[in-house]
Amino acid sequence: ETGVTQTPRHLVMGMTNKKSLKCEQHLGHNAMYWYKQSAKKPLELMFVYSLEERVENNSVPSRFSPECPNSSHLFLHLHTLQPEDSALYLCASSLTNNEQFFGPGTRLTVL
Amino acid sequence: AQKITQTQPGMFVQEKEAVTLDCTYDTSDPSYGLFWYKQPSSGEMIFLIYQGSYDQQNATEGRYSLNFQKARKSANLVISASQLGDSAMYFCAMRLNYGGSQGNLIFGKGTKLSVKP
C-alpha cells in the first residue's frame, strides 16, 4: 500500500458522539497536516505536525483534537461537533517544505 | 497578508483545446512556492505542478505548464490538449518559505473546469 490513506471515507455522526478520523502515510514523510474543506470556501489548514510535534494550530475549536503517535499516523478525534462542522476533512503529508500529498478525505456529516 | 485569488469559479473548454486557469497571489516575502492541485469529484487532491519564486523558467509537467509572471504576481495554469478526465476542481496554492507559517499552504477558492466532448 502506498500514498496517503484515510479512514473512514464517509462518516455520519450525531452531535453527542465521539469519533476519530485516521490518516496513514507510507511515503517516508516527516510532516502531516489536517485540512477542512467546506462548500464554497478555500481549504482551511487545521493542524500541522512536524517530526511528530504539533507546530501549527489555527484557532481550531477544542472539539477537534489531533494526535500524531508516530510519523506515519495521524488522528483527528471528534467530540460534540456542530452541524457546521460537516465538511470534507483532508489529510496530507510531506517532507518538510516540499509538495504535500493528500489523502482521499473523509466526508463528515454532523446531524 | 498572504492571499491566493482565483477569479474564475467555473470554466468550460472543448476537448483537445488548451485552457488557462488564472491565479494571482499576494505576499511580501521574497521566497515562496506556488502549487497547483487537481481535485476530482472523488475528493482527493492531486499535486500537478510547482514553481519556486526564484526559478528562472516556467515549470512544465507533461500537458501542464505554469505561466509565472513574478512582477504581476500571477501563476496561471495552462492545460494543453484537454481531456475529458481533466474535468475537476483546480486549486492554486502558495507556500511561504520563511516565518512562523513556514511550509504551510494557502489555497485559493478553486476553479471548476468542465471539458466538453
Side-chain angles (χ1 to χ4, degrees):
Chain A
E1 191 175 352
T2 60
V4 182
T5 59
Q6 288 186 245
T7 55
R9 294 293 309 276
H10 300 272
L11 178 62
V12 179
M13 59 186 289
M15 290 190 285
T16 58
N17 292 156
K18 287 184 181 181
K19 297 287 185 183
S20 295
L21 309 184
K22 179 181 177 182
C23 176
E24 193 170 348
Q25 60 97 1
H26 301 280
L27 301 169
H29 292 165
N30 56 9
M32 297 187 78
Y33 312 77
W34 278 117
Y35 289 87
K36 176 184 178 182
Q37 187 178 27
S38 305
K40 300 180 180 179
K41 292 176 71 175
L43 266 77
E44 301 170 73
L45 179 65
M46 300 174 72
F47 301 103
V48 180
Y49 277 83
S50 178
L51 299 173
E52 299 159 41
E53 287 193 22
R54 191 191 309 182
V55 296
E56 190 89 13
N57 177 351
N58 280 352
S59 303
V60 179
S62 59
R63 57 185 183 269
F64 295 92
S65 174
E67 179 189 2
C68 187
N70 55 61
S71 60
S72 298
H73 294 86
L74 183 67
F75 294 90
L76 187 63
H77 303 299
L78 315 172
H79 175 56
T80 59
L81 296 190
Q82 305 297 311
E84 60 264 29
D85 297 323
S86 298
L88 181 67
Y89 288 84
L90 289 161
C91 172
S93 71
S94 73
L95 289 172
T96 305
N97 285 343
N98 281 275
E99 63 268 24
Q100 294 178 20
F101 291 85
F102 285 77
T106 295
R107 190 162 296 281
L108 173 68
T109 303
V110 182
L111 301 177
Chain B
Q2 291 81 20
K3 187 179 178 182
I4 292 282
T5 302
Q6 295 179 254
T7 58
Q8 306 153 314
M11 288 277 288
F12 287 91
V13 64
Q14 201 68 40
E15 191 179 9
K16 301 181 183 177
E17 292 186 351
V19 63
T20 298
L21 306 183
D22 294 341
C23 173
T24 57
Y25 59 92
D26 189 16
T27 181
S28 56
D29 290 290
S31 180
Y32 51 89
L34 296 160
F35 299 78
W36 277 93
Y37 285 86
K38 171 185 178 181
Q39 187 179 40
S41 56
S42 59
E44 183 175 357
M45 297 281 281
I46 302 168
F47 166 71
L48 295 178
I49 196 167
Y50 166 79
Q51 178 87 42
S53 58
Y54 294 117
D55 293 344
Q56 295 295 315
Q57 292 189 331
N58 287 345
T60 59
E61 288 286 347
R63 294 187 299 111
Y64 305 108
S65 60
L66 201 151
N67 184 2
F68 181 45
Q69 298 188 42
K70 195 170 183 177
R72 293 186 175 184
K73 293 189 176 180
S74 74
N76 298 340
L77 176 71
V78 180
I79 305 175
S80 63
S82 298
Q83 302 172 356
L84 296 178
D86 294 334
S87 295
M89 284 291 290
Y90 288 81
F91 292 93
C92 179
M94 176 171 62
R95 181 196 67 209
L96 301 179
N97 295 335
Y98 296 106
S101 297
Q102 178 182 350
N104 297 341
L105 290 177
I106 303 164
F107 283 85
K109 290 186 176 183
T111 296
K112 184 175 183 179
L113 177 67
S114 299
V115 180
K116 297 186 288 185

